[in-house]
Amino acid sequence: MSNIAKCLQELSDIAVTPPSPDYSELTKIYNPAYLIKSDLPAFVAVPTSTADVQRCIQSATLNNVPVALRSAGHCFAGYCTIGENGFVVNLSHSMKGMEWSDSSVTVQVGASWEDVYIQLDDTKHLVVGGCCPSVGLAGYILGGGYGLLSRSFGLGSDSVLKMTMVTANGQSVVRASPDENPDLYWGLCGGGGGNFGVLVDVTLSLHPPKASFTWMSYKFKTASDSEKALKLLGESLTEIPDDINIDMALNRSNGQNLLSMDVVVSNPALIEHPLLLTLRKIARSNEKLETFRSYKKLVNKYALMHRYVHYEKKPVYMKGCFINELPPQLASDLINLTIPLGFIQFVHVGGEIAKKPSSYSAYPHRQAQYQIYTYGQYANKVEKKAVLDFADIVYNMLTKGGYAKGCYVNYMDEYLNNWPQEYYGDNYGRLCRLKDKWNPNNNGGSLHFKQEIGSAYEP
């Protein structure tokens, strides 16, 4: 009997195999570039409890079988799936429980942010989570996690009070908090998914409600107006109040790059902020405005307008980095690029995130003001080359110009050079020592992947 067959036998009560009608749904991942029909897992384990997760990892370790962990399946580099010699542990099917208190919520990591927002709606609390509702908690939190509330309250991982993790050999269940296994807690808050063990639940602090959320959408009609708006924003970066979040995108239209802005204001007193008034003038009244009392409804509308989906239909590639500033020359260079496919996205960070030092947690990019990335879909080799080449053009522009300040581990990129430094900066040495303690690379085991901490992989 093969090793993978032994695992299937030992986990038969929670295993879903290819003949099952559920297998296809359980093996879906966000980026179909890594979903190759000829190289799918032998089976999917669907645990319903922490004890089941332990069984999965123990069986894989004993039989020397590789395992991939899947929460919502949004890993851009496809590390949430595996080939036919291994199996996937899918947490998203049954492990979605939540326990609430007046100041915190404990959530099993099979839940998506949509699950959390539904439960939280019409309460007097907010939680820092993703603005794509179908994203799962596990990967989001383990990579730091930012969203529409991060400028007001910090990263998602900054709200973590404690976590529960199954160790990489499946033998133990450990807690991580500032008081219990504090080094592990530090590493789990931004060190990336799948490195130290299997996260099974997380306790998050709840934040006070906002009176309302006002969403303003600006679409600039010409490249000249777009450049003017981008430069104005760059001049004001460090002065923007924390309760204003300005995400942006550059899209190619009629031979020019046009900027769009999505402004979310979570303090009604800031709706007439001078920066916003000037941006409205540049947009020449091309503005949409909507006010929400419910954060869930805001996120759902935001996701709909941005076409966020659980699974993309075509392969995608994204590449990006953080920037601490947006000087006039960079604004001009971005406006003058030719975007062949896809778009350039700007995600607003800074604010409360930047008020902690880079060593506060494993997430090192505290001083960044924006995350910039290219995002492109492709249907064939020609389009793939165009998408990847353009991503390199933008990334090289940002690095050679000295603007790039590291990359986001939650947007893993298998083509990224010097990825340990880009993802983790000066925190990498400490993370490697932590990895040696909890899931050493040279000591066998089943929880390993190409870009895990301590890996020698280079593209």
Side-chain angles (χ1 to χ4, degrees):
M1 184 183 292
S2 67
N3 287 357
I4 188 67
K6 292 177 184 176
C7 287
L8 177 56
Q9 184 179 65
E10 292 164 3
L11 300 170
S12 60
D13 58 315
I14 57 171
V16 178
T17 55
S20 167
D22 295 327
Y23 177 84
S24 176
E25 185 66 25
L26 290 169
T27 54
K28 275 186 180 179
I29 59 174
Y30 176 81
N31 187 359
Y34 297 95
L35 196 61
I36 303 169
K37 289 185 178 180
S38 61
D39 197 24
L40 290 172
F43 66 92
V44 179
V46 185
T48 61
S49 65
T50 299
D52 280 348
V53 175
Q54 282 190 270
R55 288 173 54 210
C56 291
I57 304 305
Q58 288 170 359
S59 177
T61 302
L62 179 65
N63 294 299
N64 195 30
V65 168
V67 166
L69 305 176
R70 182 191 182 283
S71 179
H74 274 248
C75 177
F76 284 96
Y79 297 135
C80 49
T81 190
I82 204 163
E84 61 185 5
N85 293 322
F87 67 94
V88 169
V89 178
N90 188 322
L91 300 165
S92 68
H93 189 266
S94 300
M95 296 190 65
K96 298 184 176 184
M98 299 180 212
E99 294 183 4
W100 299 85
S101 74
D102 290 339
S103 60
S104 67
V105 57
T106 298
V107 189
Q108 289 183 310
V109 298
S112 67
W113 284 112
E114 182 176 26
D115 296 324
V116 176
Y117 297 150
I118 289 172
Q119 294 294 319
L120 197 63
D121 203 31
D122 297 324
T123 72
K124 296 181 179 180
H125 301 291
L126 292 171
V127 65
V128 178
C131 53
C132 177
S134 60
V135 165
L137 266 74
Y140 175 91
I141 291 292
L142 291 169
Y146 52 68
L148 295 175
L149 293 175
S150 288
R151 287 181 49 78
S152 296
F153 298 122
L155 296 170
S157 61
D158 292 342
S159 293
V160 172
L161 299 175
K162 59 184 177 181
M163 307 186 205
T164 305
M165 185 188 84
V166 171
T167 56
N169 59 11
Q171 295 301 314
S172 303
V173 178
V174 298
R175 307 290 189 271
S177 73
D179 301 315
E180 189 174 4
N181 294 308
D183 265 5
L184 178 61
Y185 171 81
W186 177 89
L188 291 173
C189 291
N195 277 301
F196 306 112
V198 186
L199 192 67
V200 290
D201 68 49
V202 57
T203 300
L204 301 166
S205 60
L206 299 174
H207 298 281
K210 298 288 187 178
S212 64
F213 302 95
T214 300
W215 179 11
M216 293 172 276
S217 179
Y218 306 137
K219 295 186 183 299
F220 300 91
K221 297 178 180 179
T222 67
S224 176
D225 286 346
S226 298
E227 183 174 351
K228 189 182 299 182
L230 205 53
K231 287 180 176 179
L232 173 65
L233 185 75
E235 294 169 2
S236 311
L237 269 190
T238 58
E239 301 168 9
I240 300 173
D242 295 352
D243 285 339
I244 295 178
N245 188 94
I246 306 175
D247 290 347
M248 304 180 287
L250 274 177
N251 288 272
R252 193 75 174 173
S253 178
N254 297 320
Q256 57 183 339
N257 291 349
L258 299 182
L259 185 70
S260 59
M261 289 183 174
D262 286 298
V263 182
V264 175
V265 181
S266 52
N267 179 347
L270 296 173
I271 293 174
E272 300 298 316
H273 188 275
L275 172 64
L276 302 185
L277 293 175
T278 306
L279 288 171
R280 286 176 217 173
K281 290 180 182 177
I282 299 173
R284 291 183 279 182
S285 300
N286 192 358
E287 174 196 352
K288 295 179 181 178
L289 185 148
E290 193 168 354
T291 298
F292 299 84
R293 300 289 179 185
S294 161
Y295 184 67
K296 176 181 76 74
K297 291 178 181 177
L298 166 67
V299 171
N300 286 344
K301 183 66 176 290
Y302 195 89
L304 179 66
M305 297 301 293
H306 285 256
R307 299 179 183 177
Y308 293 153
V309 295
H310 197 168
Y311 307 116
E312 288 285 14
K313 293 181 179 179
K314 293 196 295 185
V316 300
Y317 179 69
M318 65 184 300
K319 192 182 198 78
C321 63
F322 291 99
I323 60 170
N324 294 2
E325 57 180 344
L326 181 54
Q329 185 60 56
L330 177 56
S332 297
D333 290 344
L334 290 167
I335 292 293
N336 291 320
L337 285 169
T338 299
I339 303 174
L341 290 168
F343 54 88
I344 301 174
Q345 183 74 34
F346 304 72
V347 181
H348 208 175
V349 284
E352 193 65 30
I353 299 171
K355 296 174 185 177
K356 293 180 171 62
S358 60
S359 60
Y360 177 82
S361 68
Y363 176 96
H365 313 292
R366 295 282 176 175
Q367 297 309 307
Q369 295 297 314
Y370 269 94
Q371 155 84 350
I372 300 182
Y373 62 83
T374 59
Y375 190 99
Q377 293 183 303
Y378 55 88
N380 53 53
K381 291 181 179 180
V382 173
E383 289 184 355
K384 180 179 180 180
K385 185 177 187 304
V387 167
L388 268 64
D389 286 350
F390 178 66
D392 284 340
I393 288 170
V394 175
Y395 182 75
N396 290 337
M397 172 198 297
L398 294 168
T399 53
K400 291 178 181 178
Y403 309 117
K405 302 298 179 182
C407 303
Y408 187 31
V409 69
N410 275 356
Y411 296 162
M412 273 203 161
D413 174 8
E414 65 173 323
Y415 302 109
L416 181 64
N417 291 317
N418 195 27
W419 57 269
Q421 180 64 32
E422 297 297 336
Y423 292 144
Y424 302 114
D426 292 341
N427 291 337
Y428 191 60
R430 182 176 174 182
L431 282 165
C432 285
R433 293 189 293 274
L434 199 62
K435 181 74 157 51
D436 286 342
K437 176 180 178 180
W438 291 97
N439 185 22
N441 294 9
N442 58 358
N443 196 30
S446 297
L447 284 180
H448 298 291
F449 62 100
K450 190 159 58 179
Q451 287 177 288
E452 65 181 323
I453 290 168
S455 168
Y457 167 77
E458 280 291 345

